[in-house]
Amino acid sequence: MTTYVLVHGAWQDGESWDRVRPELEALGHAVHTPTAGGLRPGDSADVGTEDACQPIIDYILEHKLIDFVLVGHSWGGVLIAKIAEALSDRIRRLVFQSAFVLLDGQAVLDNIPPFFPPALQANAEERGDGTVMLPFEVWRDGFMNDATIDLAREVYSHLRPQPLRTFTEPVDLKRFFELPLPKSYLNATEDNGLLQGEWGWHPRMSNRLGYFRLVQMPGGHEVMYTSPKLLATKIVEAGRD
Amino acid sequence: MTTYVLVHGAWQDGESWDRVRPELEALGHAVHTPTAGGLRPGDSADVGTEDACQPIIDYILEHKLIDFVLVGHSWGGVLIAKIAEALSDRIRRLVFQSAFVLLDGQAVLDNIPPFFPPALQANAEERGDGTVMLPFEVWRDGFMNDATIDLAREVYSHLRPQPLRTFTEPVDLKRFFELPLPKSYLNATEDNGLLQGEWGWHPRMSNRLGYFRLVQMPGGHEVMYTSPKLLATKIVEAGRD
Amino acid sequence: MTTYVLVHGAWQDGESWDRVRPELEALGHAVHTPTAGGLRPGDSADVGTEDACQPIIDYILEHKLIDFVLVGHSWGGVLIAKIAEALSDRIRRLVFQSAFVLLDGQAVLDNIPPFFPPALQANAEERGDGTVMLPFEVWRDGFMNDATIDLAREVYSHLRPQPLRTFTEPVDLKRFFELPLPKSYLNATEDNGLLQGEWGWHPRMSNRLGYFRLVQMPGGHEVMYTSPKLLATKIVEAGRD
């Protein structure tokens, strides 16, 4: 039995794991899915990386979780790197699932294809409340390319506005890159959220981890919705000793 | 029900889809497989890109096809880009299957590994009739690597001479890159026709589409022969809304 | 019926094919698995590439093998390139399975990620007997990432010390690159032994073969242990005419 703490991506919350949780539990594991700061109902939009991490750190401490595998999806990769700095003694292994691995001092917006940042900034200015959203067309073809349009629409309807500052703020990760924690990268081979090659998730992000365990599966960025059962087995392959 | 217009690759004709058509029809779709100019029995070899497109454009107009998904395989990618310029109002989505996506003003020969153009030019000079052929060894290992040798030989025996000018003529694609049509790239992961990496189909060609939907399947360049049933489902995944 | 000569990787011997041999035999093929010089019980550690090849060349001559497919795994790719120089008339096709393809005059250590050579040299100095070993952590996450930890430990327990000189000595491959033998590259898509992209096996190594047949399968560097049945069918796809 392994304890998994699953950290969701941008525009999402702990419920994004609702289809994966029962699969992991059926395999005999304990699963925790806390929601990041800025994404909970009523949260302020004036939130940066440290603020986003705090509710997850609090959750782990309150539940006295130790010796767990910490999984981060997409933007959740930024969070698990910072959480690992704070709680490295409690963590057995880090798993980055189609996730950002920022270099020390970088922001999310430094790590996405050049057409993206101006589009996101323009959207945020239009919204005017410190948050940003993703157009459905981008979500459908880049993030949920392996889904039916009905499923893509359903998941999109549950997305929450993302605090822009979590994308623009540089993140100090000096300590992260010195942690001796074992690391895995779980890559979905059709994930086209950041396009492929020069800007793709893998191997651009994964190779930043140093020597890491690679696990791959077919699917797009949101395999927690399109292939939850397979994702659960791949999380286990990525997270086991 | 979706209408698909499937455009074949070089050295081939509409019959190259003979194994895929019944699979798509069994899924409830309408399928059209016109043959490009220069590849029909009796066609002149003195044919460029516009001449190659014309019979397909004529076919679409004659059959009053609208709201269809236009699929191009290999060299057919050059054709569907030009056809999209002419008929964009009729097209629902473009699907490039292991296909060329030329940059504006490029020719096919600008887009293949450096050893290829001199070999093709030498073959064309030897033939002396304005056409070019591919040696069986290249076809077998690069294009039909996932087939038995018997199937590779059978398909090879049906190949037709390709008008050389369709490879050497620069193609004006200024309008194509401004069309607001949604685009998908369907990549067969073992396609080694253009080798891999620097010269590979994907992501070199696919990323030129801008933001696109990625669909992948196992197989080589001629999955219409080696995996027609799976190809049909992947064409649907690539072509659906 | 095809005759296969399978050449193992570094730290291993002919027994590394013990799970694959019966699968290939069940498909009707003849299988030979000689062990390289330096890796047999009692062998000196003062062994370079030519010394490593000699027992395999002797085996092929003694058994009067002709018209066979020569398969090299990992470091075995260095060996089959040299053996092909010596015995090209007897070989039907070369298959490189997650294997090194050295450029003429290179050593193995020129072809691995920059953090590796100092680590291996330090390990060899510590051992002081002319051999080098791999730490279990690297083996587990980089080479047997697709295995349970029990299987990774079991296989690791059978590894033998590798003569360092087989990694440091430049290899003359002038004749190899002029041989007209057909070549295949069999890539396991999750093999992370050399990381991915810039330093990955494929397409870095494979594209050096010139025009080659690509065959891929899921799995890590040691698919002879984790997927022996599938590996056998992929060796056949890679080795057939």
Side-chain angles (χ1 to χ4, degrees), chain C residues 16 49 68 121 125 159 164 194:
Chain C
S16 72
T49 304
F68 58 85
Q121 298 272 15
E125 273 173 44
L159 295 186
L164 180 65
L194 302 185

Side-chain angles (χ1 to χ4, degrees), chain C residues 113-131:
Chain C
F115 69 88
F116 250 136
L120 291 171
Q121 298 272 15
N123 175 276
E125 273 173 44
E126 198 182 321
R127 297 179 64 81
D129 65 354
T131 66

Side-chain angles (χ1 to χ4, degrees), chain A residues 6-225:
Chain A
L6 310 179
V7 178
H8 59 84
W11 297 290
Q12 299 186 313
D13 60 23
E15 291 180 14
S16 72
W17 302 104
D18 277 1
R19 297 183 186 203
V20 178
R21 167 201 290 278
E23 302 290 349
L24 278 170
E25 288 172 346
L27 295 169
H29 302 296
V31 182
H32 299 268
T33 60
T35 294
L39 277 304
R40 296 167 306 176
D43 274 356
S44 158
D46 187 20
V47 157
T49 304
E50 304 258 4
D51 311 305
C53 290
Q54 199 56 53
I56 299 172
I57 291 172
D58 293 344
Y59 180 99
I60 290 167
L61 296 176
E62 277 164 29
H63 290 73
K64 302 186 167 47
L65 303 181
I66 57 167
D67 198 31
F68 57 85
V69 174
L70 182 60
V71 179
H73 172 238
S74 196
W75 171 64
V78 182
L79 305 189
I80 68 170
K82 280 309 285 181
I83 294 167
E85 289 188 343
L87 302 178
S88 68
D89 289 352
R90 293 168 181 257
I91 299 171
R92 194 169 182 94
R93 181 178 280 267
L94 294 171
V95 176
F96 292 80
Q97 184 216 330
S98 299
F100 286 101
V101 180
L102 300 188
L103 296 177
D104 176 46
Q106 286 188 330
V108 167
L109 288 196
D110 301 327
N111 279 277
I112 59 180
F115 70 87
F116 249 135
L120 291 171
Q121 298 273 14
N123 175 276
E125 272 173 44
E126 197 181 321
R127 296 180 64 83
D129 64 354
T131 67
V132 62
M133 273 300 291
L134 206 58
F136 178 71
E137 293 68 27
V138 168
W139 178 257
R140 199 277 171 277
D141 275 1
F143 291 71
M144 291 199 74
N145 46 332
D146 55 338
T148 61
I149 187 132
D150 288 345
L151 179 57
R153 283 198 181 115
E154 187 203 323
V155 178
Y156 186 78
S157 75
H158 291 102
L159 295 186
R160 296 160 173 279
Q162 175 78 12
L164 180 66
R165 194 146 67 79
T166 61
F167 286 175
T168 57
E169 208 177 67
V171 183
D172 179 338
L173 288 169
K174 275 180 205 67
R175 277 169 297 156
F176 169 69
F177 284 104
E178 287 166 9
L179 295 175
L181 289 170
K183 302 175 192 88
S184 298
Y185 202 93
L186 201 171
N187 179 54
T189 51
E190 281 71 45
D191 187 337
N192 208 33
L194 302 184
L195 300 176
Q196 307 282 312
E198 186 188 2
W199 288 100
W201 297 102
H202 171 74
R204 184 170 60 112
M205 293 294 166
S206 51
N207 275 351
R208 294 175 177 178
L209 294 174
Y211 209 72
F212 67 100
R213 181 189 303 172
L214 174 65
V215 175
Q216 295 195 105
M217 64 179 284
H221 195 63
E222 299 294 320
V223 282
M224 54 274 295
Y225 291 103

Side-chain angles (χ1 to χ4, degrees), chain C residues 18 21 27 35-36 40 48 59 69 76 82 93 96-97 105 108 116-118 130 136 145 147 181 199 217 220 241:
Chain C
D18 277 1
R21 169 201 289 278
L27 295 169
T35 294
R40 297 167 306 175
Y59 179 100
V69 174
K82 281 309 285 181
R93 181 178 281 265
F96 292 80
Q97 184 216 330
V108 168
F116 250 136
F136 178 71
N145 47 332
L181 289 169
W199 288 100
M217 63 179 285
D241 285 346

